[in-house]
Amino acid sequence: MILKGGWLMIPIFILSVVGIYIICERFAAIRKAGKTDRKLTSNVMSAINRGNKTGALQECAAQNTPLSRMLQKGILLYHIPAHDLRTSMENTATLEIAELEKGLPTLATVSGLAPMIGFLGTVVGMVQAFYDMSLAGNNINITLLSRGIYTAMITTVAGLIVGILAYFAYNFLVTRINSLANEMENACTEFIDSLYERTQK
């Protein structure tokens, strides 16, 4: 049945492969990025309060996540003014989030392009069906029209399936990344506030 969809099934198949690869690869990367100890920020601040900068850096290195790398930047620069420190940490967070978002624009393209190719298949199939009708004259039967109808229906179904799955996955991954971004922003604020309180004592 898939073969009866015609040559337009080839780009839809390619888009499905690209989409599945991006979904699996990004899901694994984002899942790994989210595996951060919830006590990391407090552990880092405890080490800094004890004057153990090396210990704080080791806490971050052991996690090796976007959040830990942002805190690592803060530890290395915690002696500079709070405003500059926040800017530096936020820049690091922005770069980390951008790294997590790699491939998502392509996935968004897949979610929009696959249904469009499917609808193109509908038009091509209908044109084929009417062309076959014009050649048949008065000898029209359902078998004669099946080629165009198969192309029209199968490409539409395939395009919608690929597009819906890609769209759902895209929104799911974006939600996960936004959650990580909020977590990093909260950790940045907590880190700087703790440093400010420490310098005030």
Side-chain angles (χ1 to χ4, degrees), residues 22 65 81 99 106 145 157 182:
I22 294 173
T65 61
E99 187 69 23
T106 302
L145 302 178
V157 171
N182 290 334

Side-chain angles (χ1 to χ4, degrees), residues 40-52:
L40 176 62
T41 305
S42 59
N43 291 342
V44 166
M45 291 312 306
S46 296
I48 290 179
N49 290 333
R50 295 193 304 268
N52 186 8

